[in-house]
């Protein structure tokens, strides 16, 4: 790339006796290129950072990451996992606060998931409740920590998942004590099944305010070379 600079000029006299220089002959000089930093822009929607269910819809052959379903309760949290097209109950956690969030991140690491699908309580008419605010608070804190690893956090209406989970366990022939101990995990299963069957419809991403963290989410989690070895080079050359 070149710029125009001038090697000589003539002087034209005016009545004010001041001189104005007018260039005559342009000479080309190279301009050194500069590496300007990338301007960070806030992410806006699921279209920009799509959940796994949407990615699967776009590309049926997509073999991407795993999903963790989370049914947050007042004293118990049910966990389910989706790997491929299989959804199964995983565990029920009784911890709360920071311990719960830390354990969720540990499970995500162990199970190699790259997104959390958290059930959002709503009333029968679709309105959010006081419990919805509490769930959003947990989801917001979790989103900040998950973003450091490129993981995403979404919320999805969980209305009716508990009753549906109870009905399913009865059909399965589980005893009452078993149903009480596992209901939260099965509610998380119902949540994930609903999420994939509707291809992510109604899913809302929870984004940290930091643009740097949002960029990490866009980049995504580190690719497992055993899962997609052909993609590892692309990850490191981003």
């Amino acid at each position: 790339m070149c710029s125009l600079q001038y090697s000589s000029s003539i002087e034209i006299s005016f009545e004010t006796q001041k001189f104005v220089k007018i260039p005559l002959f342009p000479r080309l000089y190279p301009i050194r290129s500069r590496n300007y930093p990338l301007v960070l822009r806030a992410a806006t929607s699921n279209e920009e950072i799509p959940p796994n269910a949407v990615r699967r819809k776009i590309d049926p052959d997509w073999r991407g990451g795993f999903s963790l379903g989370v049914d947050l309760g007042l004293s118990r949290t049910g966990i389910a996992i989706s790997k491929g097209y299989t959804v199964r109950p995983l565990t029920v956690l009784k911890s709360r606060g920071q311990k719960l969030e830390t354990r969720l991140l540990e499970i995500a690491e162990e199970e190699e998931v790259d997104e959390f699908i958290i059930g959002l309580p709503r009333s029968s008419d679709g309105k959010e409740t006081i419990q919805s605010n509490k769930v959003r608070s947990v989801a917001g804190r979790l989103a900040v920590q998950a973003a450091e690893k490129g993981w995403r956090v979404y919320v999805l209406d969980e209305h009716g998942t508990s009753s549906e989970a109870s009905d399913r366990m009865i059909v399965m022939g589980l005893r009452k004590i078993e149903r009480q101990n596992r209901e939260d995990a099965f509610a998380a299963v119902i949540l994930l099944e609903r999420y994939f069957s509707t291809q992510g419809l109604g899913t809302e991403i929870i984004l940290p305010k930091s643009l740097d963290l949002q960029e990490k989410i866009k980049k995504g989690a580190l690719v497992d070379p055993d899962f997609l070895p052909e993609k590892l080079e692309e990850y490191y050359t981003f």
Side-chain angles (χ1 to χ4, degrees):
M1 187 177 197
C2 295
S3 65
L4 291 179
Q5 297 188 20
Y6 300 92
S7 59
S8 61
S9 63
I10 61 173
E11 295 181 353
I12 301 177
S13 177
F14 293 90
E15 294 182 353
T16 57
Q17 298 301 315
K18 293 183 179 179
F19 296 93
V20 178
K21 292 188 176 182
I22 299 177
L24 288 182
F25 306 106
R27 180 176 296 175
L28 298 178
Y29 292 97
I31 294 179
R32 295 181 180 177
S33 60
R34 296 183 182 180
N35 294 322
Y36 292 97
L38 178 66
V39 177
L40 299 182
R41 179 178 58 81
T44 57
S45 67
N46 285 6
E47 293 182 358
E48 189 167 1
I49 307 178
N52 290 342
V54 174
R55 299 183 188 203
R56 182 181 295 177
K57 174 184 177 182
I58 297 172
D59 181 8
D61 297 326
W62 179 75
R63 299 176 7 182
F66 305 143
S67 308
L68 202 69
V70 182
D71 179 71
L72 286 171
L74 295 176
S75 58
R76 295 152 57 95
T77 296
I79 308 296
I81 188 167
S82 169
K83 291 191 173 184
Y85 288 91
T86 302
V87 180
R88 63 181 175 86
L90 195 60
T91 187
V92 174
L93 304 177
K94 296 183 179 180
S95 53
R96 301 176 65 182
Q98 182 60 50
K99 290 183 178 180
L100 171 62
E101 294 159 22
T102 299
R103 185 64 188 124
L104 288 174
L105 294 168
E106 289 174 350
I107 293 175
E109 187 79 47
E110 294 164 4
E111 299 294 339
E112 299 180 321
V113 306
D114 62 359
E115 70 174 11
F116 298 83
I117 308 299
I118 301 178
L120 183 67
R122 291 182 183 273
S123 59
S124 57
D125 60 359
K127 295 181 179 179
E128 295 193 16
T129 65
I130 296 177
Q131 183 63 16
S132 303
N133 295 331
K134 296 179 180 179
V135 169
R136 284 189 176 277
S137 295
V138 174
R141 293 193 298 270
L142 185 65
V144 172
Q145 301 174 75
E148 292 288 353
K149 295 181 177 291
W151 301 339
R152 293 154 282 123
V153 174
Y154 302 88
V155 294
L156 178 65
D157 184 7
E158 67 169 16
H159 180 72
T161 54
S162 294
S163 59
E164 190 173 338
S166 180
D167 292 341
R168 179 175 298 189
M169 287 187 291
I170 291 175
V171 172
M172 292 172 61
L174 297 181
R175 295 177 301 169
K176 184 176 180 179
I177 185 64
E178 292 177 315
R179 298 199 302 269
Q180 290 175 341
N181 291 334
R182 303 176 67 183
E183 181 177 327
D184 300 281
F186 270 87
V189 168
I190 301 298
L191 180 71
L192 278 184
E193 289 178 346
R194 178 183 298 176
Y195 161 67
F196 281 108
S197 65
T198 61
Q199 299 176 324
L201 182 65
T203 309
E204 175 191 345
I205 189 169
I206 304 299
L207 288 171
K209 294 181 179 179
S210 167
L211 296 183
D212 289 324
L213 290 180
Q214 290 185 23
E215 286 299 312
K216 289 185 178 182
I217 295 176
K218 292 177 185 177
K219 183 177 180 180
L222 178 63
V223 175
D224 185 348
D226 296 326
F227 190 57
L228 288 172
E230 70 277 7
K231 295 293 184 180
L232 189 61
E233 183 178 351
E234 294 180 15
Y235 181 89
Y236 284 114
T237 57
F238 178 82

